[in-house]
Amino acid sequence: MVYGRWSQWLNLLVCGLQILLKTEGFNVGITYVENAVAKGAVCLDGSPPAYHFDKGFGAGINNWLVHIEGGGWCNNVTTCLSRKNTRLGSSKQMVKEVAFSGMLSNKQKFNPDFYNWNRIKVRYCDGASFTGDVEAVNPATNLHFRGARVFLAVIEDLLARGMKNAQNAILSGCSAGGLTSILHCDKFRTLIPLGTKVKCFADAGYFINTKDVSGGQHIETFYNEVGSSKNLPTSCTSRLSPGLCFFPQYMARQIQTPLFIVNAAYDSWQIKNILAPGVADPHGTWHSCKLDINNCSPSQLQIMQSFRLQFLNAVRGLGNSTSRGLFIDSCYAHCQTEMQETWLRADSPVLGKTTIAKAVGDWYYDRSAFQKIDCPYPCNPTCHNRVFDPNDHPEV
């Protein structure tokens, strides 16, 4: 009897989730950029780049939102080989459909400012935020480091599909894709017709250079091994080492194109991989805290409050131009724009009574500027704090 009730409850829950997904998201098929292969613009394994494209309609038919997928980075042959035969290194391993929701939704009530735009999700398969461009391919590994070429080939393909007539265009991204939208923001502007209104938007892409809990420079060392200096902004590489120019705090001030940053001050990925990576926490003291901020001890929370202050100091690297937008909430979260629950819903995170969707829309359309930073954790009751599965805990 108990099992029967449990089974009924489970079926109801599954049906409810399916209905929710159908109302808040929809699947979009994959497009392979086959002609990119001849240009050497390929994923780590040599397969063609790919994206998912939902066409605009009505008044949005000449507006384009190009959103870059996230997925971390690889920094040497070993780590890149481990990605090569996964969706993060090969379009052969990518699912044929992905769900669009949040800022990619095609429903006005879920995405009032961009629902009828041409919305594209670019798949991420180069492991270096689209900065690599190495001609040589070692036959022993068959690894292709061609991310910069992939970025160009995808944009050229979209231009041929109608983006050359764009009235409005946004380059956005989440996580490593958010970093891509910062690093390539001005490049994107040069590729889009001069008369187009172009802005860039980064979700959880403002990774900061700070010491880990052991006092080491883990993330700086890692970034030094990732990028390609010739495809990072020269306004930064002319002054600093390429590894530092992977960090927005050192290069974002020089970006000419309007830029909006959405980021959690307690970014869950950064806490897990920059502040307290496994190599800096050999006894696993931080493991439970990283899975759920409610498990953190008072001393760990104190260290996280210090991390927040360092993050806010790094954000000052953006400068104070009114063309900059800021939505820095005090949530334990990472990537808040692709999910309906955090982009725009009745219970979404708010700053100054404003959702992320409204803040970004107001900024893009010049209705009002938005530069707000939240009070310290746990002051914001609207936060959707991440709770991670203990068996699913990837780290850099």
Side-chain angles (χ1 to χ4, degrees), residues 6 11 24 29 43 58 79 101 107 121 146 164 186 206 210 231 236 288 290 295 300 315 340 342 362 371 374 379 393:
W6 168 252
N11 285 333
E24 293 192 348
C43 297
T79 57
S101 65
K107 290 187 169 61
K121 183 168 185 173
R146 304 281 181 75
K164 66 179 182 296
D186 282 343
Y206 208 93
T210 187
N231 291 305
C236 182
S288 180
K290 290 189 291 186
N295 297 336
Q300 288 171 330
V315 166
Q340 200 60 53
T342 42
D362 286 349
Q371 294 180 337
D374 212 349
C379 73
H393 193 48

Side-chain angles (χ1 to χ4, degrees), residues 350-363:
V350 294
L351 274 184
K353 299 181 180 178
T354 306
T355 61
I356 297 172
K358 186 174 188 326
V360 174
D362 286 349
W363 165 80

Side-chain angles (χ1 to χ4, degrees), residues 58-112:
I61 200 163
N62 287 320
N63 298 336
W64 293 73
L65 170 58
V66 182
H67 185 78
I68 312 291
E69 180 184 35
W73 310 271
C74 57
N75 64 327
N76 55 42
V77 169
T78 302
T79 57
C80 290
L81 277 174
S82 71
R83 294 166 75 100
K84 178 183 163 187
N85 294 315
T86 73
R87 65 176 181 82
L88 292 172
S90 171
S91 60
K92 296 174 187 174
Q93 304 301 323
M94 295 171 184
V95 293
K96 299 294 185 279
E97 292 185 334
V98 297
F100 274 23
S101 65
M103 72 181 303
L104 296 174
S105 174
N106 63 353
K107 290 187 169 61
Q108 188 172 10
K109 66 176 179 177
F110 293 137
N111 188 24

Side-chain angles (χ1 to χ4, degrees), residues 276-293:
V279 293
D281 181 36
H283 301 296
T285 308
W286 278 80
H287 184 73
S288 180
C289 170
K290 290 189 291 186
L291 294 178
D292 184 345
I293 196 168

Side-chain angles (χ1 to χ4, degrees), residues 66-262:
V66 182
H67 185 78
I68 312 291
E69 180 184 35
W73 310 271
C74 57
N75 64 327
N76 55 42
V77 169
T78 302
T79 57
C80 290
L81 277 174
S82 71
R83 294 166 75 100
K84 178 183 163 187
N85 294 315
T86 73
R87 65 176 181 82
L88 292 172
S90 171
S91 60
K92 296 174 187 174
Q93 304 301 323
M94 295 171 184
V95 293
K96 299 294 185 279
E97 292 185 334
V98 297
F100 274 23
S101 65
M103 72 181 303
L104 296 174
S105 174
N106 63 353
K107 290 187 169 61
Q108 188 172 10
K109 66 176 179 177
F110 293 137
N111 188 24
D113 284 307
F114 310 113
Y115 73 99
N116 59 0
W117 286 36
N118 295 281
R119 284 150 290 105
I120 297 96
K121 183 168 185 173
V122 180
R123 302 304 297 269
Y124 175 44
C125 65
D126 80 297
S129 285
F130 297 87
T131 61
D133 190 2
V134 179
E135 184 65 38
V137 177
N138 185 334
T141 62
N142 196 39
L143 283 169
H144 297 71
F145 300 106
R146 304 281 181 75
R149 295 190 199 184
V150 168
F151 181 81
L152 186 59
V154 167
I155 300 303
E156 286 176 345
D157 198 61
L158 294 173
L159 287 167
R161 289 175 182 266
M163 195 163 67
K164 66 179 182 296
N165 300 316
Q167 295 170 349
N168 294 284
I170 291 176
L171 177 66
S172 72
C174 149
S175 192
L179 180 58
T180 301
S181 69
I182 298 172
L183 295 174
H184 291 283
C185 181
D186 282 343
K187 175 73 171 177
F188 181 71
R189 164 69 277 186
T190 66
L191 296 171
I192 303 298
L194 198 57
T196 309
K197 179 176 182 171
V198 177
K199 296 189 179 185
C200 303
F201 171 67
D203 176 13
Y206 208 93
F207 299 93
I208 70 166
N209 186 17
T210 187
K211 291 181 179 178
D212 60 42
V213 290
S214 72
Q217 295 282 3
H218 173 67
I219 195 65
E220 183 179 328
T221 303
F222 184 87
Y223 274 0
N224 272 326
E225 299 165 349
V226 172
S228 171
S229 59
K230 66 180 178 180
N231 291 305
L232 292 168
T234 54
S235 59
C236 182
T237 54
S238 61
R239 298 178 293 111
L240 299 168
S241 69
L244 289 178
C245 293
F246 228 66
F247 292 101
Q249 69 200 78
Y250 302 119
M251 52 71 61
R253 189 184 293 262
Q254 280 71 46
I255 294 172
Q256 301 295 309
T257 311
L259 174 66
F260 196 108
I261 302 294
V262 166

